[in-house]
Amino acid sequence: DTAVSQTPKYLVTQMGNDKSIKCEQNLGHDTMYWYKQDSKKFLKIMFSYNNKELIINETVPNRFSPKSPDKAHLNLHINSLELGDSAVYFCASSQGKGFLSNQPQHFGDGTRLSIL
Amino acid sequence: GQQVMQIPQYQHVQEGEDFTTYCNSSTTLSNIQWYKQRPGGHPVFLIQLVKSGEVKKQKRLTFQFGEAKKNSSLHITATQTTDVGTYFCAGRVRTGTASKLTFGTGTRLQVTL
């Protein structure tokens, strides 16, 4: 009965490959997010979706493409992986209508991506 | 763009000592949230502060929101080994009908016996 679940938990792959990370939440939340946490633990927002609509798109290379088939799912596809993409990627969700949401964010366990 | 800095970056204390982390924003915030991330874990929501000068307590943790709503602090009294982790503040800025939550740089707390 995990609230926000991400798969896979670990991803080890070579430079140049394409990979996807999946996220699902069963909390009934309206808004979902992708964050990147680097080796220094800095947590940076990448994207946010509200009811399948993209509402935040930070300065992220266009090799990263989020997709939200419904409000309970937000997947992240990464093309042509680079060494600098190595990080932990967290999915999160919150209640409320995106921009006006003051609710806490619930995080998944993270996907540890390592590029060889 | 908005920046949220925390100091210190790292603190090592002995069990029983107090600990404080400070959070400073370059812009006025509509509210601030605090999260704790255990080693190898994910950020977990602790609390939200909304009003200027607000103080909230959770057992040994005391959270404060500055009068100008640009800074905040988290104080832990008599730390325990279970307090180990990285503490993040996250400030929300509203611009019209939009708002964005920006996470601080984090403070890593190590507690030893």
Side-chain angles (χ1 to χ4, degrees), chain A residues 1 11 17 20 23 27 29 32-33 36 39 43 45 57 70 77-78 80-81 84 90 92 94 96-97 102 107 116:
Chain A
D1 58 341
L11 191 48
N17 284 350
S20 291
C23 179
L27 296 166
H29 287 167
M32 295 184 73
Y33 312 83
K36 179 180 180 181
S39 56
L43 202 55
I45 180 82
N57 185 351
D70 55 61
H77 187 76
I78 316 170
S80 304
L81 281 158
F90 285 103
S94 67
K97 296 190 176 185
N102 283 327
F107 284 78
L116 303 176

Side-chain angles (χ1 to χ4, degrees), chain B residues 12-66:
Chain B
H12 185 177
V13 300
Q14 289 203 315
E15 193 175 47
E17 291 181 337
D18 291 356
F19 159 77
T20 304
T21 171
Y22 299 92
C23 174
N24 294 289
S25 169
S26 56
T27 53
T28 303
L29 303 170
S30 58
N31 62 55
I32 195 154
Q33 298 177 352
W34 283 91
Y35 291 77
K36 175 184 177 182
Q37 184 178 18
R38 292 183 190 273
H42 59 272
V44 174
F45 174 79
L46 294 176
I47 209 158
Q48 177 169 275
L49 305 169
V50 179
K51 298 177 186 173
S52 167
E54 189 171 12
V55 177
K56 285 189 177 180
K57 291 192 177 187
Q58 284 181 351
K59 297 183 181 176
R60 295 178 294 104
L61 277 60
T62 302
F63 304 84
Q64 192 164 6
F65 201 7

Side-chain angles (χ1 to χ4, degrees), chain A residues 13-116:
Chain A
T13 189
Q14 291 193 325
M15 237 173 27
N17 284 350
D18 303 339
K19 289 292 176 187
S20 291
I21 309 172
K22 295 187 175 182
C23 179
E24 175 182 4
Q25 55 96 2
N26 62 7
L27 296 166
H29 287 167
D30 295 316
T31 307
M32 295 184 73
Y33 312 83
W34 277 111
Y35 285 88
K36 179 180 180 181
Q37 186 171 49
D38 61 23
S39 56
K40 293 184 178 178
K41 297 289 191 187
F42 295 146
L43 202 55
K44 294 263 174 73
I45 180 82
M46 298 173 70
F47 302 103
S48 176
Y49 270 75
N50 173 247
N51 274 324
K52 303 192 293 177
E53 182 188 349
L54 180 66
I55 55 172
I56 292 176
N57 185 351
E58 292 295 291
T59 310
V60 175
N62 57 15
R63 297 181 295 105
F64 291 79
S65 51
K67 279 205 173 69
S68 182
D70 55 61
K71 78 171 194 177
H73 295 83
L74 180 61
N75 303 323
L76 183 65
H77 187 76
I78 316 170
N79 287 327
S80 304
L81 281 158
E82 299 177 358
L83 288 175
D85 297 332
S86 293
V88 181
Y89 292 84
F90 285 103
C91 175
S93 71
S94 67
Q95 188 52 287
K97 296 190 176 185
F99 289 145
L100 299 179
S101 169
N102 283 327
Q103 299 304 307
Q105 297 191 3
H106 297 253
F107 284 78
D109 288 339
T111 296
R112 282 143 188 85
L113 174 63
S114 297
I115 310 301
L116 303 176

